[in-house]
């Protein structure tokens, strides 16, 4: 766990980007127009997070449950993802941002998988700044995939169940290489996790904002980070212990 406390910048921010549909509906526009505007917000927020010194930014872009949406919306979202990856590659390289993905990306359309592989490969040598896209991601699916991989490791004699711990088990999660989020932001006023990073968020600070994702900007990210900086993260200890440790 990172040692963030009052006044510290979160090392890792995770965002549930929500409210594109309602943004469009309020303007009498098709839902896809909301998603288009949402993509513009992604660029702004990637740049802002970097400016603020946030090393890891994880964005929930498509959940394992989002396949339930009308086929037209799903294909529109996949098209936008392809467009985003093509358009942002140069920007990511210029800003030295490495792209990662979490989720069952092998079930995404082949063209999207190709773009993802291309952008990941072109940015894999960057270490300071990291953009993580959660695509076809579900925390429960992740737990099932991790359990399968762990069980295989037990069968192969590489893991001993008697020594099971979160620290060992987390190595089988999609997020094995990533630190756990310090701050979770959800836009659009919904107060739920929607199957996002359930275990990794165990000690994250939560910020919910009524702002719809297409309207979210630099100032909103700054406000969330300031809110975070005012909080005391105790991890089960007492305020007195935290203060003594900080001295
Ligand atoms: C978030 O916006 C984007 C995705 C889930 C892909 P929504 O499309 O969920 O917007 P609302 O919740 O309908 O307003
Ligand atoms: C969560 O938003 C998924 C993403 C932001 C990608 P949803 O809009 O799908 O969540 P629910 O259905 O309202 O819980
Ligand atoms: Mg939604």
């Amino acid at each position: 766990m990172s040692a963030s406390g009052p006044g510290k910048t979160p090392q890792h921010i995770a965002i549930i980007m929500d409210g594109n549909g309602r943004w469009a509906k309020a303007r009498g526009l098709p839902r896809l127009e909301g998603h288009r505007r949402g993509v513009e917000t992604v660029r702004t927020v990637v740049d802002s997070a970097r400016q603020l010194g946030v090393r890891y930014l994880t964005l929930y872009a498509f959940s394992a449950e989002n396949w339930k949406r009308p086929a037209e919306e799903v294909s529109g979202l996949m098209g936008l993802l392809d467009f985003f990856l093509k358009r942002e590659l140069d920007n990511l390289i210029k800003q030295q941002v490495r792209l990662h993905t979490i989720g069952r990306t092998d079930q995404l359309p082949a063209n999207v998988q190709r773009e993802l592989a291309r952008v990941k490969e072109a940015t894999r040598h960057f270490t300071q700044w990291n953009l993580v896209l959660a695509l076809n991601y579900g925390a429960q699916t992740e737990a099932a995939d991790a359990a399968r991989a762990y069980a295989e490791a037990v069968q192969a004699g590489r893991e001993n169940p008697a020594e099971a711990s979160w620290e060992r088990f987390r190595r089988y999660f999609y997020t094995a290489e990533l630190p756990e989020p310090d701050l979770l932001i959800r836009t659009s006023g919904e107060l739920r996790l929607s199957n996002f990073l359930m275990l990794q968020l165990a000690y994250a600070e939560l910020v919910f904002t009524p702002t719809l994702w297409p309207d979210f900007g630099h100032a909103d990210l700054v406000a969330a980070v300031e809110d975070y900086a005012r909080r005391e993260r105790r991890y089960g200890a007492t305020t007195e212990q935290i203060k003594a440790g900080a001295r």
Side-chain angles (χ1 to χ4, degrees):
M1 259 171 228
S2 79
S4 309
K8 300 272 172 59
T9 304
Q11 175 185 212
H12 185 172
I13 298 182
I15 306 184
I16 302 177
M17 311 184 285
D18 200 9
N20 295 348
R22 277 163 285 168
W23 183 93
K25 193 171 179 198
R27 286 161 182 76
L29 298 169
R31 290 180 59 86
L32 203 58
E33 198 49 44
H35 296 314
R36 259 189 218 112
R37 291 294 297 252
V39 170
E40 300 312 312
T41 304
V42 170
R43 168 176 265 194
T44 308
V45 168
V46 169
D47 292 353
S48 294
R50 193 178 178 286
Q51 266 179 48
L52 294 172
V54 175
R55 291 194 52 210
Y56 293 84
L57 177 68
T58 296
L59 301 177
Y60 202 6
F62 193 85
S63 78
E65 287 75 30
N66 286 147
W67 298 107
K68 289 179 195 162
R69 295 190 177 197
E72 189 186 292
E73 180 168 346
V74 170
S75 64
L77 282 165
M78 294 302 152
L80 277 175
L81 182 56
D82 187 62
F83 162 79
F84 170 80
L85 292 166
K86 288 191 167 99
R87 190 188 71 175
E88 291 307 304
L89 178 57
D90 288 349
N91 189 39
L92 294 175
I93 291 174
K94 196 169 99 209
Q95 307 236 35
Q96 308 201 323
V97 178
R98 178 173 178 182
L99 179 76
H100 310 252
T101 55
I102 55 173
R104 287 188 174 171
T105 51
D106 58 336
Q107 293 170 353
L108 296 172
N111 64 315
V112 172
Q113 288 190 49
R114 263 197 312 276
E115 280 310 307
L116 285 170
R118 197 165 76 89
V119 179
K120 280 197 212 176
E121 179 58 32
T123 60
R124 62 178 301 156
H125 50 290
F126 299 131
T127 53
Q128 181 72 7
W129 309 107
N130 298 275
L131 171 64
V132 185
L133 293 181
L135 295 167
N136 191 19
Y137 175 88
Q140 293 168 345
T141 312
E142 180 180 36
D145 286 349
R148 187 182 313 107
Y150 182 82
E152 283 166 5
V154 169
Q155 273 176 347
R158 284 182 277 112
E159 289 288 352
N160 176 0
E163 289 166 10
S165 64
W166 169 241
E167 290 312 321
R168 288 203 73 86
F169 190 43
R170 80 182 295 287
R171 296 179 197 177
Y172 298 88
F173 279 57
Y174 309 143
T175 53
E177 307 299 324
L178 309 169
E180 287 167 24
D182 301 297
L183 170 62
L184 170 81
I185 301 170
R186 183 170 189 152
T187 59
S188 89
E190 303 297 357
L191 306 179
R192 55 177 171 264
L193 293 179
S194 301
N195 205 10
F196 190 43
L197 299 174
M198 309 272 289
L199 285 169
Q200 296 89 335
L201 293 172
Y203 268 105
E205 294 298 326
L206 311 181
V207 169
F208 296 96
T209 167
T211 305
L212 303 175
W213 180 248
D215 292 328
F216 192 88
H218 180 72
D220 300 284
L221 191 69
V222 169
V225 166
E226 284 174 356
D227 188 344
Y228 168 87
R230 284 190 293 272
R231 306 214 189 154
E232 182 185 64
R233 302 182 77 188
R234 290 191 286 277
Y235 299 104
T238 67
T239 296
E240 290 68 28
Q241 289 173 303
I242 301 296
K243 289 201 169 125
R247 241 184 264 129

